[in-house]
Structure formats: C-alpha cells, structure tokens
Amino acid sequence: MKKLFISCPMKDRTEAQIRGTMMQMHRIAEAVFGEELEVIQTYIPDPPSGMNQALWCLGESIKMLSEADYFIGIYDEEKAYRGCAIENQAAKTYGIPSYTINLNYVARDVVEARAKEARKYSCFGY
C-alpha cells in the first residue's frame, strides 16, 4: 500500500483536534489520489526539551516525508504555519504528488481561534 504524508497545523492544538484534521485529510487524499493510502504517523506528542522544538519536529517530519508516495497539506492564506509551508515546498521540490486544501475546510478550530483573537484587538470589541 502506498504511503501518505499529512501536513496539518499542530501549534496550539490538542491531540484530538490534530487527529481529527488528519482523519479528514486522509479521506480527502484517498478521494483525490484514487486509492487506499497508509498514513505516515507524523504527530510527535513529546518532543525533547532544551531546544527549538518546532524546528526539531520539522526536521523529523522531513525525514518522514522521504517515505511518502503522496502528500496532502494545507493552504494557509496567513502563512502562520511555517512548517506546513516548508513540508509542502519540499514535497513539490522532490516530486511527491501533492494536493493542498484550504485551512478553513479542515481546521475550523484554528480559523475560529484567529477570529476570536482578532475580535479581542478590534476597536469595537465584538
């Protein structure tokens, strides 16, 4: 069975939110690529401390990406998820068939958190 690398937002999200997004993206990828796919487990629950954890996790994910036959990631208009953008670029650069989906469709919690944060700093406060 071919392997799928899923790139989705992880920062400031719970494991349940991340896994929910990954399940949704897995189903989308199977529909887009037209076959059943095995997901490469990219969620790292406890990265080592004492270093830049985001960069360490990105390095580990790039290693995992080398095993992928297909890639699915997010398109984030605000470009807030740098790791996702780098994974997406790496997949394309190294010829891994790729598909991106707008963040709004697979991570509503992220979109809602952004809207809440924006309202907090709005001059009208609503």
Side-chain angles (χ1 to χ4, degrees), residues 1-8 10 18-19 21-23 25-27 29-30 33 36-45 57-73 87 91 96-97:
M1 183 179 306
K2 292 191 177 176
K3 293 184 178 183
L4 173 67
F5 184 99
I6 300 172
S7 176
C8 75
M10 295 190 187
I18 293 165
R19 293 206 185 277
T21 295
M22 291 180 120
M23 284 181 10
M25 292 175 79
H26 181 197
R27 288 192 302 271
E30 288 184 334
F33 297 119
E36 190 176 329
L37 301 169
E38 176 186 345
V39 174
I40 297 169
Q41 295 304 315
T42 57
Y43 177 71
I44 302 169
C57 287
L58 178 59
E60 292 299 306
S61 73
I62 296 296
K63 287 182 199 176
M64 293 178 214
L65 182 57
S66 71
E67 302 172 25
D69 297 298
Y70 295 105
F71 171 91
I72 187 168
E87 291 164 350
I96 299 170

Side-chain angles (χ1 to χ4, degrees), residues 68-112:
D69 297 298
Y70 295 105
F71 171 91
I72 187 168
I74 55 115
Y75 171 73
D76 175 24
E77 293 169 1
E78 294 186 26
K79 298 180 182 15
Y81 292 95
R82 300 168 297 184
C84 292
I86 292 167
E87 291 164 350
N88 182 17
Q89 185 62 45
K92 288 179 181 173
T93 299
Y94 287 90
I96 299 170
S98 302
Y99 184 79
T100 54
I101 186 161
N102 193 297
L103 178 68
N104 294 318
Y105 298 117
V106 292
R108 286 298 309 162
D109 59 290
V110 171
V111 175
E112 290 165 5

